[in-house]
């Protein structure tokens, strides 16, 4: 149970013993994951092909933006 302040009450010795017993009874039943759940971020691994595609798109956008800026500057100086 979590209090209104967001803190959990301390684990009593009885609860700690139940947790230890539960962990020991589950040992060897399933393989351990490579990354503990506490360290998983939920983000998918970055695909190098997708990263390269994104870089290409950003480069094309930058070239387009610079071309529009150049056209606007030429029109402004001509006026």
């Amino acid at each position: 149970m979590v209090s209104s302040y967001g803190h959990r009450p301390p684990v009593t010795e009885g609860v700690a013993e139940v947790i230890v017993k539960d962990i020991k009874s589950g040992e060897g039943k399933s393989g351990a994951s490579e990354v503990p759940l506490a360290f998983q971020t939920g983000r998918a691994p970055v695909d190098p092909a997708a990263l390269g595609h994104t870089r290409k798109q950003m480069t094309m956008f930058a070239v387009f933006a610079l071309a529009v800026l150049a056209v606007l500057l030429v029109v402004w100086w001509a006026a």
Side-chain angles (χ1 to χ4, degrees):
M1 182 171 156
V2 179
S3 68
S4 61
Y5 298 108
H7 300 287
R8 295 178 183 228
V11 176
T12 62
E13 289 183 25
V15 173
E17 289 174 7
V18 170
I19 292 172
V20 169
K21 190 183 292 184
D22 187 39
I23 291 172
K24 287 186 178 182
S25 68
E27 287 180 352
K29 292 186 179 178
S30 65
S33 64
E34 292 183 18
V35 180
L37 287 175
F39 295 105
Q40 290 183 357
T41 61
R43 293 177 22 186
V46 178
D47 181 22
L51 188 59
H53 185 67
T54 303
R55 284 184 182 150
K56 182 178 179 184
Q57 287 178 335
M58 292 301 292
T59 302
M60 293 301 293
F61 177 74
V63 168
F64 174 75
L66 288 174
V68 169
L69 181 61
V71 168
L72 289 175
L73 286 174
V74 167
V75 169
W76 183 59
W77 276 329

